[in-house]
Amino acid sequence: MWGDVERPRCSGSPVLWLAMALAIGLWSVAVHRALQPGQSLLRPAFSADGPTDAHNLRCIWLTAAVATLYVRPVSESIDAVVGIRGFTAAVMFSLLIVGSSELLMALRCVTLPPNEARRGHRARAVAIVTVVGLLVLSVLAGQPEYADVTLRWGSGASLAWMALFWGSWTLWCGSAGLRAAIAASRYAGTVPNATTRTSLRFLTVGGVALLAYAAVKSVVITLVIVDEPPPAGLSMVTLAAVTVMGVAAGLTSTWPLIVEAQQRRQAVRALREVEPLWVRMSSLDEDLVLTPFPYDTSHLDARAASVALYRACLEIADWMLILGERLPAGAWEHAQATVADQPDPDRHLQAAAGWIEAGLNRETIWPGAHSSMPELGEDAEALQRFITGVAAVNRVGSDCVARSLENRMQEVPR
């Protein structure tokens, strides 16, 4: 099939298990992607919000189908039912041609405006139909003797059809792999989003693997046609290239989902840590609450959890302004001095937690000059890191700082 001419035929061979694992893994990715909200195999390439991932979704489904047909018992069973040896190989390669075309269109959709991305679609359709037609015609006319079309197709005209079959296939693979690798590499160097950049790098690896597969496969088939046994190492290289392509395709498709799931877990965990502090401070001024704190954080998606966390941290920062009015000038500096012997990463957070605790222990505004605020950070991410860090401070440590501040306040003239 792909190039493992000497592939073992026994049911428990490592190659068979690897092929089955690859197919199952790709189907898991494809189904998982399709079950995400708003996903559809019939979704248009562009929406009012910009390009969609419809081409990418169709590509991963086609790749999963190809991986299934690559499993030897599956391909041999289909050939037996149809009665044409090599038929499954032609179908498998045809699906991969369409899939690689979908992948290249996915790249065009994210790198070019809609009109430019669609430009040349007739020529691409003609190229796809031509190559697929050559594959099917070669199998029907060449009549390979084995389901594994990498084995020699008899002699004479059959060998010519074999050369046409593999020449068309490897030429398409080399061209598609090169174009995908170049386009993904170029775009990865300009895209600002780190998640998309990583996904494109996986795609670059897949494109390079496809190009390498085409090159090695050409050598293997040439040796078969001239009746020379290909080195076993070349068969292993083609198998490795196929495996890398499958893994790269899966990671390209799922990497954004993996990152989103990680971000959701982090945001939900941070929300749960911040909630007790938010509840205590919300009694200071409930009018500052933009939205109620989420009742059940486990049902929030990544975006909703991130927004809820930002709002909670922003409200806590606003309530800290009220606490500053309850504490005398120099309270924040005293809190910092109290924890001067603590490790540097924890010092600022423990001082702030004690400062907040001291403010919550008072109910009236300090009659004199008021305390300055702890440094909250210069942007939204720094604010969230600070607030979540403060919320995670051990209560024993914050109470120690608060008691020191209360003793200090008794000494400050009013």
Side-chain angles (χ1 to χ4, degrees), residues 67 77 106 146 151 174 178 188 199 215 224-225 240 255 284 300 313 384:
S77 298
Y146 308 98
L151 300 178
L178 182 62
S199 184
V224 171
I225 290 175
W255 186 253
L284 296 173
L300 298 177
C313 291
Q384 292 180 51

Side-chain angles (χ1 to χ4, degrees), residues 80-123:
V81 171
V82 176
I84 302 174
R85 287 184 291 270
F87 174 81
T88 307
V91 173
M92 180 179 70
F93 291 150
S94 298
L95 291 178
L96 194 53
I97 287 171
V98 177
S100 61
S101 179
E102 289 284 349
L103 181 61
L104 290 170
M105 274 306 299
L107 276 172
R108 292 177 66 87
C109 289
V110 298
T111 58
L112 298 173
N115 291 337
E116 292 187 32
R118 297 188 181 98
R119 188 175 300 165
H121 65 280
R122 289 188 179 88

Side-chain angles (χ1 to χ4, degrees), residues 114-384:
N115 291 337
E116 292 187 32
R118 297 188 181 98
R119 188 175 300 165
H121 65 280
R122 289 188 179 88
R124 289 190 292 273
V126 169
I128 292 172
V129 171
T130 300
V131 178
V132 170
L134 288 174
L135 294 180
V136 175
L137 177 62
S138 298
V139 168
L140 294 177
Q143 299 181 359
E145 299 176 21
Y146 308 98
D148 187 345
V149 292
T150 59
L151 300 178
R152 212 164 186 267
W153 294 16
S155 60
S158 293
L159 278 180
W161 286 112
M162 180 182 185
L164 179 62
F165 180 94
W166 286 106
S168 302
W169 168 241
T170 55
L171 182 62
W172 175 276
C173 288
S175 173
L178 182 62
R179 284 182 292 161
I182 292 175
S185 179
R186 285 179 177 175
Y187 190 56
T190 60
V191 67
N193 186 282
T195 301
T196 303
R197 189 164 56 247
T198 302
S199 184
L200 286 169
R201 285 172 178 162
F202 285 129
L203 180 54
T204 303
V205 171
V208 172
L210 182 58
L211 179 61
Y213 161 81
V216 176
K217 192 69 171 182
S218 299
V219 175
V220 170
I221 297 302
T222 300
L223 291 173
V224 171
I225 290 175
V226 300
D227 206 15
E228 290 288 339
L234 290 183
S235 297
M236 295 306 299
V237 171
T238 56
L239 179 60
V242 171
T243 304
V244 170
M245 280 189 284
V247 173
L251 287 174
T252 299
S253 181
T254 58
W255 186 253
L257 300 180
I258 293 172
V259 173
E260 182 180 359
Q262 182 183 18
Q263 291 173 343
R264 178 192 172 277
R265 286 194 298 269
Q266 292 174 343
V268 168
R269 183 169 58 248
L271 272 172
R272 290 170 178 167
E273 291 177 348
V274 164
E275 183 176 9
L277 179 61
W278 186 94
V279 170
R280 292 184 66 202
M281 296 185 71
S282 63
S283 60
L284 296 173
D285 188 348
E286 295 183 355
D287 292 336
L288 290 177
V289 178
L290 300 175
T291 55
F293 199 90
Y295 175 73
D296 185 3
T297 57
S298 62
H299 290 85
L300 298 177
D301 59 23
R303 177 174 176 77
S306 297
V307 170
L309 176 62
Y310 172 70
R311 288 177 173 175
C313 291
L314 192 63
E315 289 158 359
I316 289 174
D318 288 339
W319 287 322
M320 288 174 66
L321 294 171
I322 298 176
L323 295 182
E325 296 178 351
R326 296 184 176 188
L327 301 173
W332 170 236
E333 291 74 14
H334 180 79
Q336 290 179 297
T338 304
V339 295
D341 59 340
Q342 298 295 321
D344 187 63
D346 303 330
R347 190 183 307 159
H348 182 68
L349 298 177
Q350 187 169 335
W355 183 89
I356 290 174
E357 191 66 33
L360 289 172
N361 291 340
R362 286 183 52 82
E363 297 181 356
T364 59
I365 296 176
W366 185 263
H370 300 152
S371 172
S372 58
M373 286 273 293
E375 296 84 1
L376 302 178
E378 299 179 354
D379 54 32
E381 291 185 3
L383 171 64
Q384 292 180 51

